Amino acid sequence: MSNKKTIFLAMIFFGLFGMAKASYAADFYVAQAAAGSGNGTSCANAYVYTWFNNSGNWANPKISGKIGPGDMVHICGTITGSAGGNALTFQGSGSSGSPITLKFETDAVLTAPYWSSTTSGAIYCSGQSYITIDGGTNGTIENSADGTALQYQHDSAAIVTSCPNSEIKNVNIQNMYIRTEDTEDIADTIGISTAGASNTRIDNNTLSHTRIGIAASYSNGTTNVEVDHNTETYVEHGISVGNLDQFAADYANNYKIHDNDIGGGAYLWDSPSNAWHHDGIHCWNQSSPYSQISNLWIYNNYIHGKWGNDQAYYNSTGGTHITAPIFLEHLTASVFNNVIDFDTSNALSVPDDTWVSAGGGVNIPATADPPRLYNNTMRVYAGYCWLADTPNGTSVHSYVANNLCIIANSTGTGGIVATDMVNDSGSSVDYDVYSFAGESNCFSVGSNVNSLSAFQGYGYDIHGFSTSSPDLNTILAPLSGSPLIAAGANLTSTGITALDSDKSGAARPATGAWDIGAYQYQSGSGTIVPNSPTGL
């Protein structure tokens, strides 16, 4: 009896094991050409990459030998495409908890003279769901001959997707367009483009030499989009978020743009006609009909470097090609813990609008989220530190607190722009700290330029102050003895959970005063001490 029971249990075990093995995720390998036995079991035996584009090789539910939920397709070596071509197009979907992953092996590259236009790109996904594109260690997508002085001047994109429930991570995207500054060519190139794709994350990618680094557009109902920890240089728009249909009233929800490093190089897109306007982060919609993103949070970003270099344009117009490092156009958002650190000796890296735009202009409806601007740090050459503009006679008010504004070359019109706030008793500006060189009349209310004391006379920044010595370290965090320490308001009650920690992840106090700016002082070192890792 005992032996029969043992045999019976063994049969159940091996039966279940066999079922599990039959449904176990598979790995497939693709390369420029079929290799070895050509059965896709390794890079040495890879399928030709066009095998990925054949819908007959996909199946959901999962079938042995076909790409299905939980499977991983590996890109091997260098795949060279034709000019204007597409390399890989998803033909099927994964499932919740079992996405289909396209992963670059070490040193894998997708290269072409220029990849397809901004509607398809080198990698394309439409009509599918639950996908992951993973660059692995150093997977790269590039154009080899697209640029002002190169063979082609063509629109192009690296990754284009409208597939929800997806992630794009760890991809190196480079040389999509090598532009010569002060020229008029207007080829439009995008590193990563998503359109109306809910539950999407774009993270830990590296992008350089493309007009737009990341474009995360929304349609009506798009929700849960996160763009974080990406590094960008030589981009004209670092991150762009806009509504797809300019003739529709689209409403999206829960966009998080955070912990991105957007460096200099936008000046390559300087043009005599001002064809492009440079922005680190640009969120926008058409002003009529009105669209809106609820719970749009822009935080912990670092925007820095050289953004303008057009001396002739500056001489003729007095302006640059820069709109704002953080520019909200007909949108409102919560903007906090960002550091903007531009060249404090360069008048050509000054925005024509403002350094941070937290308001969205006169078309904000009463249903919009309020503009909120908290604990940002700005060190700049000249110009307005921020714009918190709300329309008169509405219930939408601006809330500004705990920001640090350092202007190295004040001209009498620097500082805060509080346009329309003078007639908006519901807006609040307080606990901000200013450090202006050479000028005292740096506060604008409407068309009036005033001193800090006059600004306080309007009811703004009653607890704010100016200082010539904010005492900061190299990353603009307060040193021991800095007047910024414990000079701010405690904003725990705002309910913005990410604001309860500073840019480095260090917790702000639940009770008691906060420090001014993006960083909370860490006692003992005067430098930023990261939190211990969790969830290991």
Side-chain angles (χ1 to χ4, degrees), residues 39-87:
N39 59 9
T41 57
S42 65
C43 284
N45 298 291
Y47 290 124
V48 61
Y49 73 94
T50 53
W51 178 87
F52 183 90
N53 301 327
N54 186 340
S55 60
N57 296 322
W58 296 67
N60 189 350
K62 169 72 179 161
I63 296 175
S64 179
K66 297 181 183 292
I67 305 170
D71 288 350
M72 180 177 290
V73 180
H74 302 255
I75 301 172
C76 303
T78 297
I79 294 176
T80 302
S82 59
N86 161 264

Side-chain angles (χ1 to χ4, degrees), residues 19-30:
M19 291 172 62
K21 186 174 181 180
S23 61
Y24 189 74
D27 291 272
F28 302 95
Y29 295 79
V30 298

Side-chain angles (χ1 to χ4, degrees), residues 112-115 118 141-158 173-181 183-191 207-212 233-236 265 268-270 276:
Y114 66 88
W115 289 109
T118 54
I141 303 173
E142 65 180 12
N143 288 341
S144 61
D146 207 16
T148 306
L150 300 178
Q151 182 177 358
Y152 299 100
Q153 296 79 43
H154 205 285
D155 294 355
S156 182
I173 297 172
Q174 64 185 24
N175 301 335
M176 297 302 294
Y177 197 84
I178 305 299
R179 193 177 191 279
T180 302
E181 63 180 295
T183 55
E184 291 292 2
D185 51 317
I186 55 172
D188 198 0
T189 54
I190 301 177
L207 305 104
S208 64
H209 290 285
T210 182
R211 189 182 81 80
I212 298 177
T233 52
Y234 296 102
V235 294
E236 190 270 338
L268 292 181
W269 275 264
D270 287 350
W276 307 115

Side-chain angles (χ1 to χ4, degrees), residues 220-273:
N220 202 38
T222 303
T223 187
N224 298 329
V225 175
E226 188 169 9
V227 182
D228 65 285
H229 294 92
N230 301 284
T231 300
E232 304 186 28
T233 52
Y234 296 102
V235 294
E236 190 270 338
H237 265 54
I239 298 169
S240 176
V241 174
N243 61 327
L244 289 170
D245 187 350
Q246 61 178 308
F247 302 108
D250 293 329
Y251 291 88
N253 181 54
N254 197 27
Y255 262 67
K256 303 292 186 287
I257 303 172
H258 65 94
D259 293 282
N260 300 285
D261 185 321
I262 305 174
Y267 64 86
L268 292 181
W269 275 264
D270 287 350
S271 64
S273 67

